[in-house]
Amino acid sequence: MTALEPVARVRGPWIGRFAAAWLGVWLAQTTVIQLLLPAQVEAAGGRSGLLDTIARFGWVSAVAGAAALVAFPLVGALSDATASRFGRRRPWIALGTALFAAGLVLLGMQTTIGGIAAAWSIALVGFAAVSSALTALIADQVPVDQRGAVSGFVSAPQAVGTILGLVLVEAFALAAPGSYALVAAVLVLLVVPLVASLPDPQPLEASGPVWIAQIAGSLWIDPRTHPDFAWTLLGRLLVNLGNALGTSLLLYFLSAGLRDPDAESDLIPLVLVYLVLLVVATLAAGRASDATGRRRVFVAAAAVLQGIAGVLLAVAPAYGTALVAAGFLGAGYGVFLSVDQALATQVLPDPADRGKDLGIMNVALAVPQAFGPIVGAALMLVFGGFSALFIGAAVLSALGALAVARVRGVA
């Protein structure tokens, strides 16, 4: 099949429904990672030490991350090859949302570590499916000079979704099954308007049946042939892993590192500061990047801001410091998300394989969040304490910026 770069700018209603769908997806994913899953793992593990609890949480996240690692590029490739009367991406958005919601409901019923890992794996495969198809829409339907701004509406809903999910869960104060069902219902409610109205044209040329074996064989992209793609992928992986180290264990940092008796309640102001700065930085950086045509300098700035946050938390671990660091971390990650998503769409090897290639890129967006806890547990075990965790976050962010600096085909 062939594919052309889009030239018609997308309008407000399209962007609104697109942003709402991402709001539902991020609300479901981040609420689970930040609050519901850590608490559930801690309860299932019984009375055990901090490192044991973090390691158990890391194991659950890593198992689910391995499932997502396969699902991201596979679903992206399948959506590239889909030629149905419902469109290319829309069926996968719908199927992914349904699987994600079902996995969350199932997750809420689990009381053992094995059951939690299995159910979270199902949910993350659904997350991978819906997010792969949604991301491909940017390359399919948004012109290059609008991608920074539109990418901001992928990132900003992550901020709003996280705080909204935490507030909803705290406000309703339901048991685990009810909290997970609530999150799943909001996910479906926010994705449905996009699925119902999305213009999703067929590929320009049908390619005939495509088999799983063919897709699997196409997943390898030679970094020597496509170095810009490889460097962008590596930079995304490192920066996202650095961010995951700084955010995924926050609840444990408050409860065990700072011995905060109200850790779950005090988590909300931290997340709010982080997310407000993330939203502002995302929207501002996306528009500035479109206006200047530059991407890499913004990624470097993002890494510096995230690095400052990590050093602050390592040097002066206190709740007040954490609030300041949350601002730096949110601003840095917001700049990175908006600009890096636009950069990713400009280094794809083949426009006809956008879904598959962006699926590979998305591995480096979501999988670090899954493996972050187990990497963090290893750092704490080897070097001792939360300081090692936050220094690791700063170092990884800097290495990610160095990787993106090697990109040559995009300014």
Side-chain angles (χ1 to χ4, degrees):
M1 67 180 69
T2 58
L4 298 176
E5 289 291 347
V7 294
R9 295 174 70 84
V10 293
R11 301 300 180 187
W14 188 100
I15 294 173
R17 291 188 291 268
F18 182 72
W22 275 112
L23 175 61
V25 170
W26 286 127
L27 182 147
Q29 195 240 17
T30 57
T31 304
V32 172
I33 289 177
Q34 291 284 345
L35 181 61
L36 296 179
L37 192 61
Q40 188 178 20
V41 168
E42 187 172 14
R47 295 185 178 181
S48 56
L50 172 65
L51 286 179
D52 286 340
T53 300
I54 292 176
R56 199 175 288 114
F57 178 52
W59 181 83
V60 168
S61 297
V63 168
L69 182 67
V70 176
F72 269 115
L74 184 60
V75 171
L78 287 170
S79 72
D80 285 335
T82 297
S84 76
R85 65 189 183 92
F86 299 107
R88 299 172 74 192
R89 314 299 182 190
R90 184 157 50 175
W92 294 99
I93 295 172
L95 287 171
T97 301
L99 184 61
F100 192 7
L104 291 174
V105 172
L106 181 64
L107 180 58
M109 302 175 184
Q110 305 308 307
T111 57
T112 66
I113 295 299
I116 292 170
W120 183 226
S121 296
I122 293 170
L124 265 195
V125 168
F127 167 78
V130 63
S131 57
S132 284
L134 283 172
T135 304
L137 290 178
I138 298 176
D140 284 349
Q141 301 190 19
V142 181
V144 170
D145 64 356
Q146 198 183 10
R147 286 180 187 172
V150 172
S151 294
F153 290 96
V154 176
S155 311
Q158 182 177 10
V160 178
T162 302
I163 194 65
L164 179 60
L166 292 176
V167 169
L168 281 175
V169 169
E170 289 290 320
F172 281 89
L174 301 171
S179 294
Y180 278 108
L182 173 65
V183 168
V186 174
L187 163 67
V188 173
L189 183 67
L190 290 173
V191 174
V192 162
L194 180 70
V195 173
S197 62
L198 178 68
D200 189 14
Q202 298 290 336
L204 297 181
E205 296 177 9
S207 59
V210 178
W211 307 104
I212 295 293
Q214 292 175 273
I215 291 173
S218 71
L219 294 182
W220 170 251
I221 296 176
D222 191 338
R224 295 168 298 181
T225 307
H226 302 288
D228 283 356
F229 182 90
W231 285 118
T232 302
L233 178 64
L234 179 60
R236 174 177 276 210
L237 177 67
L238 293 170
V239 172
N240 277 289
L241 184 55
N243 185 265
L245 291 183
T247 59
S248 62
L249 301 178
L250 270 179
L251 185 62
Y252 297 135
F253 171 65
L254 293 177
S255 61
L258 300 183
R259 301 190 182 281
D260 183 349
D262 300 312
E264 290 193 9
S265 297
D266 288 340
L267 178 65
I268 292 178
L270 279 182
V271 173
L272 184 59
V273 170
Y274 170 83
L275 297 175
V276 167
L277 270 294
L278 188 149
V279 170
V280 172
T282 294
L283 298 178
R287 294 183 183 278
S289 178
D290 284 342
T292 61
R294 298 174 66 83
R295 311 292 190 197
R296 292 183 296 159
V297 65
F298 289 93
V299 175
V304 170
L305 291 170
Q306 288 198 177
I308 291 172
V311 171
L312 282 173
L313 287 170
V315 171
Y319 190 73
T321 306
L323 286 169
V324 175
F328 279 106
L329 192 64
Y333 198 50
V335 171
F336 175 79
L337 282 175
S338 63
V339 176
D340 182 69
Q341 189 64 52
L343 174 64
T345 65
Q346 292 178 243
V347 297
L348 301 180
D350 186 346
D353 293 328
R354 288 167 175 156
K356 179 204 69 174
D357 295 337
L358 284 170
I360 295 171
M361 279 289 182
N362 280 342
V363 165
L365 180 63
V367 170
Q369 292 181 331
F371 286 93
I374 202 165
V375 173
L379 286 172
M380 292 175 65
L381 182 63
V382 173
F383 298 104
F386 283 95
S387 293
L389 180 74
F390 298 127
I391 290 294
V395 170
L396 286 168
S397 297
L399 291 175
L402 290 175
V404 173
R406 300 295 300 274
V407 174
R408 293 291 178 260
V410 181

